[in-house]
Amino acid sequence: MPNLHELEAAIPVAPLKLVVMDSAVNLGENVNNHLVGFRKSVKNIAKNNPAFEGYLSDNYILDSTCYRFGSGEGKALLSESIRGKDLFILTDVCNHSISYKINGYTNYKSPDDHYQDLKRVIAAANGKAHRVNVIIPFLYEGRQHKRNGHESLDCAQAIEELSKMGVSNLITFDAHDPSIQNAAPLCGFDNFTPPYQFISALLGADDSLLIDREHLVVVSPNENALDRAIYFANVLEVNTGTFYDRFASHSASTTHEFLGDNVDGKDVIIINDIITTGKSMIEKARKLKEMNAKRVFICCTFGLFTEGLARFDEAYEKCYFDRMITTNLTYRIPELKSRPYYIEADMSKFLASIIDFMNHDSSMANVYTPTDKIHRILARYNNREDDFAINE
């Protein structure tokens, strides 16, 4: 855990409780296990103080359920007292595997369903919790962040609504447009990114990478994602490039043009926030291989794979890309883990550290910037130390 010593003299805001929605059970259990380990290992002044009962626990997950009636209507039930608790609610709005019965038919929860369940849990807390914090890794409707014509602004509306319901802090990852937080300027909004977990997972799976300007380039798949590619490239001390769409004036066709450093004979990391169908990402990976890139590694925070894996399987067989990394922040179809090209970037320890620091009201600077951690893991990797892939 980063900067563990920062928590030794910190006082918790209130007793910690974690509500894990049915959409995020696996991630929530892993986060809980890390929290238990953190609290047992840290020498905090509240550890053995009877005034902070519950600081040490074998389980921080609150007993809670979201029921569905036969009509499809729902309600949330918190089976434990949450009075005076620092409540963290974890949900995954992209989990399409959760089903319920409605009028005898099986229905699968959409992002709208998960969002409604989140509001039900907040309503069930009913002003009794000391503080309510929402962890929503994939920001609900985050890609609908601006208006073009007569369109709804769903993400801004949701953030404003949660703020009015009493949510103190929103925690998300790799928001499509972080400026969306302007929708509720008095609500805490923390947007984290996973570059450390990406490089840790990649180096742990492949010990043949050479991290320098002569052998590696970081590429953005479009101009909107260029900021994260530039940051990643600067930390790794390599060059960067980007694709941009060129529209043909005489037709409706679009070509993907590359602007950046020469990739001939170099490994390439493509970094982005999301994979949906994967069509555009694979096309750009193919183009990089046509430019004689040595290997192509795809890093995306959220792997949704909305049209399945057949397109990726075919692209892998044709050597358009070599490895693909996504995080475990959202639901992934089970067969993904069996693919030879897939690597998981585990975010549970990082998420647990975010919760622990926030519960102690400690500065988020302790977990925000992973630059030093990336430099340390690169040093261990370059020296070929056995522990280079340890998650901090």
Side-chain angles (χ1 to χ4, degrees), residues 27 51 57 83 85 90 106 126 140 156 202 204 206 344 362 383:
L27 178 61
S57 176
R83 186 177 294 277
K85 300 296 192 295
L90 174 62
T106 298
N126 196 25
Y140 174 69
L202 184 56
D206 194 321
E344 177 188 279
S362 296
N383 293 328

Side-chain angles (χ1 to χ4, degrees), residues 176-236:
H176 191 70
D177 183 357
S179 66
I180 196 69
Q181 64 187 290
N182 293 328
L186 299 183
C187 179
F189 187 97
D190 290 284
N191 177 48
F192 297 93
T193 55
Y196 171 78
Q197 285 74 19
F198 281 156
I199 197 64
S200 176
L202 184 56
L203 297 183
D206 194 321
D207 62 0
S208 64
L209 279 167
L210 297 174
I211 313 295
D212 57 43
R213 286 185 173 87
E214 286 70 39
H215 298 91
L216 181 67
V217 178
V218 175
V219 169
S220 169
N222 54 64
E223 59 273 23
N224 295 327
L226 188 55
D227 287 349
R228 66 172 62 88
I230 290 174
Y231 168 75
F232 201 29
N234 286 341
V235 174
L236 299 180

Side-chain angles (χ1 to χ4, degrees), residues 97-219:
S97 70
I98 309 296
S99 64
Y100 61 93
K101 293 287 188 179
I102 176 170
N103 295 319
Y105 294 94
T106 298
N107 195 38
Y108 287 88
K109 288 187 179 181
S110 69
D112 291 343
D113 291 316
H114 290 301
Y115 177 62
Q116 285 299 119
D117 282 347
L118 169 64
K119 291 195 295 181
R120 291 183 176 107
V121 170
I122 297 171
N126 196 25
K128 302 299 190 297
H130 177 81
R131 187 173 66 173
V132 175
N133 313 278
V134 170
I135 305 168
I136 184 165
F138 186 96
L139 188 59
Y140 174 69
E141 295 288 359
R143 290 194 294 167
Q144 180 55 19
H145 60 102
K146 61 183 178 180
R147 178 173 283 148
N148 294 310
H150 299 291
E151 297 178 345
S152 58
L153 292 174
D154 300 68
C155 187
Q157 182 176 337
I159 292 175
E160 183 181 12
E161 185 176 24
L162 293 177
S163 177
K164 289 180 177 179
M165 290 186 73
V167 172
S168 299
N169 296 291
L170 283 169
I171 299 129
T172 192
F173 288 81
D174 223 342
H176 191 70
D177 183 357
S179 66
I180 196 69
Q181 64 187 290
N182 293 328
L186 299 183
C187 179
F189 187 97
D190 290 284
N191 177 48
F192 297 93
T193 55
Y196 171 78
Q197 285 74 19
F198 281 156
I199 197 64
S200 176
L202 184 56
L203 297 183
D206 194 321
D207 62 0
S208 64
L209 279 167
L210 297 174
I211 313 295
D212 57 43
R213 286 185 173 87
E214 286 70 39
H215 298 91
L216 181 67
V217 178
V218 175
V219 169

